Amino acid sequence: MTSDQPTADTTDMGWALDALVESQPRIIHAVLFSSDGLLLAKSDGLGRADAEKAAAALSGVNSLQKELRPFCGRSTSEALPVRHVIGDLKGVTVLSFTATARTGVAVSVEGESMGPDAALAITETMTMIKKLKPVLDARERSTGA
């Protein structure tokens, strides 16, 4: 990534999340978050405080998944990046995707995780990530030291 490349931490990506939500009527909300839990963008209709809580929780879920290498038969030094995590709640599915090494995108979808609405939401979200990948990244923050 070049220093002049727009990124999610310098560019409002809410429009992309709104387009994702509008692409399928069963998608409820979408958020773009940093790997350390900061909200980078949200879809319209989701309050900022709720979006910030979701971003923190979703980054935590993605982080926990990274610790499952031994459980999956992999060494702790072996790369096993998270591609997506599915949260199957009663009547609602939460889909969380790794967009870049420092960001993730999540959507909430009406319906069961094995239903056609979740499958379509997976396809729509992965297509958006693939198209916008460079802009969905975030710069590495300095430690302030």
Side-chain angles (χ1 to χ4, degrees):
M1 171 175 45
T2 63
S3 61
D4 59 344
Q5 168 70 47
T7 56
D9 54 338
T10 62
T11 304
D12 180 13
M13 295 303 296
W15 65 269
L17 299 178
D18 290 337
L20 180 61
V21 170
E22 292 166 8
S23 73
Q24 187 200 4
R26 305 280 286 177
I27 296 178
I28 305 165
H29 297 296
V31 293
L32 172 64
F33 56 93
S34 67
S35 58
D36 58 355
L38 296 178
L39 177 67
L40 299 173
K42 65 176 189 63
S43 59
D44 283 342
L46 179 61
R48 179 139 191 107
D50 290 334
E52 288 175 347
K53 289 177 196 173
L58 290 160
S59 72
V61 168
N62 282 2
S63 177
L64 288 173
Q65 298 298 315
K66 293 176 184 176
E67 299 305 318
L68 292 176
R69 288 179 283 223
F71 181 72
C72 297
R74 305 292 195 266
S75 74
T76 55
S77 62
E78 186 177 349
L80 190 63
V82 174
R83 291 189 291 191
H84 64 271
V85 176
I86 300 172
D88 189 1
L89 300 120
K90 184 175 174 122
V92 179
T93 301
V94 176
L95 305 167
S96 182
F97 301 83
T98 297
T100 71
R102 290 184 285 270
T103 63
V105 173
V107 296
S108 55
V109 185
E110 292 283 351
E112 304 299 324
S113 64
M114 298 300 287
D117 296 318
L120 184 56
I122 289 170
T123 301
E124 293 287 335
T125 306
M126 291 178 77
T127 299
M128 183 208 67
I129 290 170
K130 184 180 272 190
K131 287 180 181 177
L132 298 175
K133 195 169 194 83
V135 185
L136 294 177
D137 203 3
R139 297 177 218 275
E140 191 168 349
R141 284 194 292 279
S142 66
T143 58

